[in-house]
Structures are given as structure tokens and as C-alpha cells.
Amino acid sequence: MKRTLLIFSLCQLLTTGAWSQGWPSQYGGVMLQAFYWDSFNDTQWSLLESQADELAGTFDLVWLPQSGNCGGQSMGYDDLYWFNNYNSSFGNEQQLRSLIKTYQAKGIKTIADVVINHRRNVSNWVDFPKETYKGVTYEMTSTDIVKNDDDGATLKWATANGYQLSANIDTGEGWAGMRDLDHKSENVQKCVKAYLGFLKDDLGYAGFRYDMVKGYSASFTGQYNASSQPEFSVGECWDGSNTIRNWINGTKVDGVIQSAAFDFQFKYVVRNAVDNRAWSRLSTQNDGNWPLISSNFDQGQYRRYAVTFVENHDTEVRPDGSSNGPLVRDTLAANAYMLAMPGTPCVFMKHWQKYPTDIKAMVAARKAAGVNNESTYLPFRSQVAYYATVTKTNNENRLLSVVGNVAANETNVDPEVWTKVLEGYHYAYYFPTSMNTAYADLASGIYSGEQKVRLAAVTASAGAQLVYTTDGTNPTASSTKVANGTTVTIPVGTTTLKVALLIGSAVSGMVTRTYDVKEAPTDKVVIPDFCKVNDGEICAFFEAPRTWTQTIMCWAWDENNYTGGQWPGVACTRMGQAPDGNTVWKWTFAEKDFYGTGNAKMPTNIIFSNNGAPQTNDLIFHNGGYYTEEGYFGTVESSIDGILADKPADTAIYTLDGRRVQTVTRPGIYIQNKKKIVIR
């Protein structure tokens, strides 16, 4: 009987969610936010999947943009479909599933962006899509919208049009952008729980990032997580105060926290220090409130639930120039500080794209030092010019990090106690000599062009040397010997570097690095020989980025339209591959595509698009022009004999059909002295 009761109790714990605690304890992983605002080019599912090998080993979690269809090009925060339509701005459902599966195989877990505070409607203010999943139909109705949505505007519309809203008011902050859902509604709860189950158990997401959690009671996030049991859960409780801590506590179910939160207070402290060039401000609070990772916050009990960041898609400077407290300088130092601290760091995609080598090295050092989300830290030195911190794990010194004027802090670092293992612009990392290990500052990974790696002997033993090999064999006492701080060149190709300490005749503390170094690509655009302009032809060429995988469309116009008059225009013709591997397309003006009231001549502007999105900027049309995503590059050679940029000479000018032109008023192709010319 006792055995039976024990088994029953264990099963009950598993099914009630008592083991789900929002975020793993002593978690040493690092997350990547794999998108930014309007990142439609860089975050296509197929492109992200192609980067799996490069991301693996550095990032353990990848936060993806909201992946359902939103009724048009969207970053996903106007979510519409939850179950049946995953043809999003980033790819289709098959590509999404392939991405998640590939990441899983590489040891990367994915985080879904979950938007359940509000939802977009299908055709009017109060209708939602009807979706069937596993034989069950899910549909929200007007009564699933809070009574005070949009400050009463929705209720006014609903009453006037014969609809009824919920009797409940919002349990959090309102937002007028879309319909705020009533999470007290059993139907809303049913739909949300099924949706989360679909994301986790069907698509394969490991966890959730909840958007705009201040919009509804934290208790519902707790309830949803207790039901779906994600490995990871983090809420966007956008605030600079103790509201974040209160929200975390509000997710408790049976006294157990169910979700982590983004540490906005950490972001603001870092931003304030960097903006003011006052590194000592890293040891201060933010407007009277300490970051979640701080020991001043209830003895640091919230470190486990702190997801730290220094920039995200909302705080960055967006394409339209708007921003919310962006980080404008010392990006590397800000990331170095974050990656040395407790909590779970979340690296912003733009920072990763710009500084992959540095960030790889920082993450590698963090992991080698054993820093995790529940590590502790103590200030080492605090000055306006620099700030130094010692991070501890299990009460042992593991990492000394310095940001700001690194050189000014050098005299404070005892070489008998600390060895520098990594340094960059305004940052440096040191390991305690008690680690007794070799170290290589260039992390394993994929690189472009010949690389340099600095070797370090992390030991207090006098006379210690380093031995290394580059053929994958373990170094011995007879291997190549070098001193601490020696730099080794890594050539193009695949190299397995193994470095170890040599103390006397004993070899110990070996580290291994694997480098896949590619030939450095050329940035030069080369117009392929197959690009030709035929006699009398009005045309343009476009070299499409690899991420533009659909048929390239052309939209060309002046006061008339030369591409049918209906966006995205007409399909271009695939010509072949450029020397850099990109695909080249050609648009040729056809009379049947002319849409307008004037006579066909030559457009003044042109746009190329990936079947509508993404698209180039409005570009100036050049006949025979060769364009890339960046704009006009040059003109393809043709049988046209001349180009007149200004007023043509006095010699008679004729149109292509033989009519004499008294005054040239429009750009185009003409005949002069029995030769074709272009007048712009």
C-alpha cells in the first residue's frame, strides 16, 4: 500500500506542475534574440536554420519571432492565427518545423514569442478566426473581449452593431492597438492552453516568451505554465521598478514561481552607465530599484528568474528612428558585463551580427568559468573610468571582469591570483590562477579569413609553459612549447587546436578548439557576363540576396506604371548566378504590362521585391541598370552606342519607330546619326 501511494504521489507531482519552476536552477546557458524590428530579411526560417552550426556551442536558447500568420507582413505582435496558418513573414510551417528540429539536433532549444494579451480580428472589431486542431474547434467570440477594451470604444461599437462583450474588466493594463482578451473567460483559457500545447508538444518549442504581461494578471501566466509545463518561461514585464519582482511572485502556483522575467532594471543600469561614460554607475540602483540579479534584491533569490539583456527589438533605434532607451555606445563592453554576470543573458541579434567573434569568446569564457544564473558577484573596483567585478560560483572566485579603461585597472590585478584570458575594446576577462588550465581566447566556431588565437597559462606555478598541437592529437611534453600570451595563427581550413599546461614534465589542463575557417569573401559586386541588353530593350537586372527565395517581382513607374499597375508588379526572369553565389534576375518592359494614360517611354523609378516582401527602397531607374539590395551598382553593357546626360546635340533625333523629335522632353532610347543613344 505504501509503495502504491508513493507512485501515486509522484505522478500527481508531475501532472500538477509542482516541478515546474519557471526557469532551471543553476542554468549556465545563454540565449539569442534571433530578430530585431523589421528583420524580415535576416530572420527567414530557412536562413536561421542555415546558421545552426554557427550558433551551436555558443547559444543554448534561441528566441524566435512570433511564428503564426498575422494577415500580412508583420513582426507578429498583431497575432491572428494560433493553430492552422503558419505562413508567416518569416516562412511557412514546414520551414519552421525544420528549423526547430535542426536546432534540437544541434543542442539548441527554441523559445516561442507568445502574444496572448491581445489578438487581431478577422474582419471587424470583434470576430476571431475559427480553427480546428486535433478534432477540436477553437474560436473566441466577442464575449471573450474585456468590457473596458480600448477605453470603452469597443463596447460602444459592439453595442451599436449588436454584439456583446465580456462582463469582466481587464485584469491588467489596457492597450488600444487590438482587442484585449478576458483571461477570466473559460473559453480564452481553453484556447490559450491548447495553443501553448500546440507550440510545445507539436511544433517543438522548449519554452515561451510572454509578450506584454502587464496587460493581464500574472496569475494567468502561472496557470498556463502549470498546464503546459514549458522548460523555460520569461515574461516581458516592461518596468524599471519592483513591479517585475511582484510579477514573478504573482505567477506562483501552490507557492512555486512559474516564470522568469526580463531584467529591465539591469538594462537601464547598464544603459545609464554607458551613456554617461560613468562605469561606477554599474554598482548603483535604477531609480531606487535594484536589478533582479543584485544581492540587494532579497539576498539574490531572483537571480534564477532574471533574463538579462542590454538591448532588444523595442529599445533599439528602429528603422523609422523611434526608440525606447537604446544603447548607443560601448556595445562590446555592455555585452561583456552582461555575460560575466549571473542571470541568463540574452544577446541581441544586431550585436551578434556585428561582433560574432567577440561574443563567441565572451560566452566561451563564461561557460569555462562555470558562471550560471545563480552565481553571485562582488564589486572589485569601482571608478568612473572603469568597473571591475568578481563573479563567484559555489562561493569560489571564477571570473574577474573589467569594463571601461581596462589598462587603468591593471595595477589592481595580482598576477599571482588572476590571469588575463580575454581582452577587447573596453573589456577584459581574467580567470583565477587556481583553475590550473590552459586557455585559448578564440572560441571554437566558423570564421572567415585567417585567424589569430592568444594562448594563456592560467596557473600560479612559476616557469609553467604551454604545449599545443593543431592536428587533433593531444599535446605532450615534446609538443611545440610556447610562453603565456603567445599568439598562434589559424589558417583557412579545418583546424583542431589542443593546448595544455606544461609544468615540469607534467601535461595538464588541456583545452580543445575546433575552427572551420573559410576563405574571406570579396565584397566586390561583379556584373555577370550573361547580363545583356538587347537592341531597343528597356530592362533592369537585380542580384537577389540569398534570403530572397521566392520569385523576384518588379514594380516600375513614373506617372504611369510599367509593371501592370497591381502590386507587386510583374515577375522577373531568372538569369543565373553571380560570382558571389547570389541569383540574378532580369526585368524587361513589355507593352502589355503598360498601365497608364501616357505613351510608353521609360520609367523613372523601380522597386524589386521577394514576391512582395521584403523589397528594396524606391530606386532611380537606369536602363540596363544592375541593382543589388543596397541599390544601383552600374549599367550593363549593351548595343547602345552612347549616353547623353544633358541636352542632345543639334543633330536630328529620331524615336525608335523613325519619328523625328523636335524637342526631347522625356528620357529614353533614341536614334542619332544612325546610332542608338540613351537620353536621361
Side-chain angles (χ1 to χ4, degrees), residues 220-400:
F220 293 112
T221 300
Q223 179 186 143
Y224 297 144
N225 281 348
S227 171
S228 58
Q229 296 285 290
E231 289 184 66
F232 304 89
S233 171
V234 55
E236 183 211 25
C237 187
W238 192 342
D239 208 289
S241 73
N242 291 343
T243 297
I244 305 174
R245 177 181 62 174
N246 296 337
W247 182 85
I248 292 173
N249 287 329
T251 69
K252 289 180 180 178
V253 174
D254 296 331
V256 178
I257 290 172
Q258 298 295 312
S259 184
F262 283 107
D263 196 344
F264 277 88
Q265 295 174 163
F266 178 89
K267 185 269 188 299
Y268 291 134
V269 166
V270 173
R271 189 274 314 272
N272 293 343
V274 170
D275 278 1
N276 291 281
R277 295 292 175 96
W279 297 101
S280 57
R281 295 186 66 165
L282 291 174
S283 63
T284 64
Q285 49 193 330
N286 171 56
D287 295 330
N289 300 285
W290 291 98
L292 293 174
I293 64 165
S294 174
S295 59
N296 298 73
F297 230 178
D298 292 350
Q299 290 73 53
Q301 65 170 296
Y302 292 95
R303 291 193 188 108
R304 171 176 176 175
Y305 304 107
V307 178
T308 57
F309 70 102
V310 295
E311 195 75 294
N312 69 18
H313 64 294
D314 283 318
T315 64
E316 67 164 325
V317 178
R318 292 182 174 181
D320 63 1
S322 64
S323 63
N324 289 288
L327 185 72
V328 295
R329 57 168 67 95
D330 271 315
T331 301
L332 280 173
N335 278 278
Y337 179 71
M338 174 181 71
L339 287 163
M341 292 290 102
T344 299
C346 182
V347 175
F348 187 43
M349 185 178 196
K350 283 187 176 179
H351 295 176
W352 165 248
Q353 290 176 326
K354 190 170 184 179
Y355 302 110
T357 300
D358 289 85
I359 291 175
K360 281 180 191 176
M362 295 173 190
V363 174
R366 173 189 178 87
K367 293 182 176 181
V371 177
N372 63 54
N373 60 345
E374 294 186 273
S375 294
T376 59
Y377 67 98
L378 291 171
F380 181 75
R381 292 289 188 278
S382 180
Q383 302 288 336
V384 172
Y386 62 88
Y387 186 73
T389 309
V390 174
T391 306
K392 299 170 174 281
T393 299
N394 297 326
N395 208 34
E396 293 183 2
N397 291 345
R398 301 298 296 176
L399 179 64
L400 168 61

Side-chain angles (χ1 to χ4, degrees), residues 63 111 115 157 165-166 189 201 267 290 322 389 411 413 420 427 518 520 546 603 629 679:
W63 164 21
I111 303 297
V115 184
W157 183 93
L165 302 188
S166 170
Q189 293 175 14
D201 301 324
K267 185 269 188 299
W290 291 98
S322 64
T389 309
T411 57
V413 181
K420 185 186 293 185
Y427 75 90
K518 312 292 185 182
R546 288 180 176 83
E629 187 182 13
I679 298 178

Side-chain angles (χ1 to χ4, degrees), residues 1-15:
M1 177 65 73
K2 289 182 179 179
R3 182 179 181 186
T4 302
L5 286 174
L6 177 62
I7 294 173
F8 173 77
S9 298
L10 179 61
C11 293
Q12 189 177 41
L13 283 170
L14 288 169
T15 57

Side-chain angles (χ1 to χ4, degrees), residues 413-680:
V413 181
D414 185 349
E416 294 295 318
V417 180
W418 298 100
T419 299
K420 185 186 293 185
V421 295
L422 185 63
E423 184 174 15
Y425 182 72
H426 282 180
Y427 75 90
Y429 283 175
Y430 299 78
F431 284 171
T433 54
S434 58
M435 287 179 66
N436 287 311
T437 186
Y439 198 74
D441 69 347
L442 184 68
S444 294
I446 302 171
Y447 295 92
S448 176
E450 187 177 270
Q451 299 293 306
K452 302 290 185 181
V453 53
R454 180 180 178 276
L455 310 183
V458 185
T459 180
S461 298
Q465 291 181 290
L466 293 163
V467 285
Y468 75 92
T469 62
T470 56
D471 60 1
T473 60
N474 292 340
T476 66
S478 59
S479 299
T480 302
K481 299 177 182 65
V482 294
N484 178 46
T486 297
T487 297
V488 175
T489 299
I490 305 299
V492 171
T494 300
T495 299
T496 299
L497 171 69
K498 293 190 176 185
V499 190
L501 286 175
L502 178 63
I503 302 174
S505 60
V507 175
S508 63
M510 185 180 74
V511 294
T512 302
R513 297 280 190 263
T514 301
Y515 305 116
D516 184 5
V517 181
K518 312 292 185 182
E519 289 280 2
T522 176
D523 293 330
K524 184 179 179 181
V525 176
V526 178
I527 299 177
D529 292 338
F530 56 70
C531 293
K532 301 291 184 184
V533 178
N534 300 317
D535 285 353
E537 187 177 28
I538 298 175
C539 65
F541 301 85
F542 181 66
E543 182 179 310
R546 288 180 176 83
T547 54
W548 293 25
T549 57
Q550 301 185 56
T551 298
I552 299 303
M553 307 295 285
C554 178
W555 180 259
W557 78 100
D558 46 28
E559 64 268 24
N560 302 299
N561 190 282
Y562 295 76
T563 46
Q566 184 173 350
W567 178 261
V570 298
C572 298
T573 301
R574 185 194 299 267
M575 301 297 292
Q577 278 194 327
D580 59 7
N582 291 335
T583 301
V584 178
W585 300 74
K586 181 180 182 180
W587 168 71
T588 299
F589 171 61
E591 290 286 346
K592 65 180 180 62
D593 294 326
F594 183 70
Y595 182 83
T597 57
N599 294 323
K601 46 175 184 175
M602 191 175 296
T604 56
N605 294 93
I606 193 168
I607 290 174
F608 296 97
S609 72
N610 185 41
N611 196 26
Q615 66 186 57
T616 65
N617 295 325
D618 294 0
L619 306 172
I620 302 299
F621 176 78
H622 301 271
N623 193 45
Y626 191 88
Y627 299 84
T628 69
E629 187 182 13
E630 301 300 320
Y632 173 69
F633 172 72
T635 301
V636 173
E637 293 183 5
S638 69
S639 60
I640 297 172
D641 298 297
I643 294 177
L644 299 180
D646 303 313
K647 182 179 178 180
D650 293 335
T651 308
I653 304 292
Y654 297 87
T655 62
L656 293 178
D657 59 4
R659 291 179 290 112
R660 182 167 179 168
V661 179
Q662 297 299 326
T663 303
V664 177
T665 60
R666 296 178 175 178
I669 302 175
Y670 296 87
I671 303 295
Q672 185 180 46
N673 293 327
K674 298 182 181 181
K675 295 182 179 180
K676 293 188 181 72
I677 62 170
V678 173
I679 298 178
R680 293 176 177 171

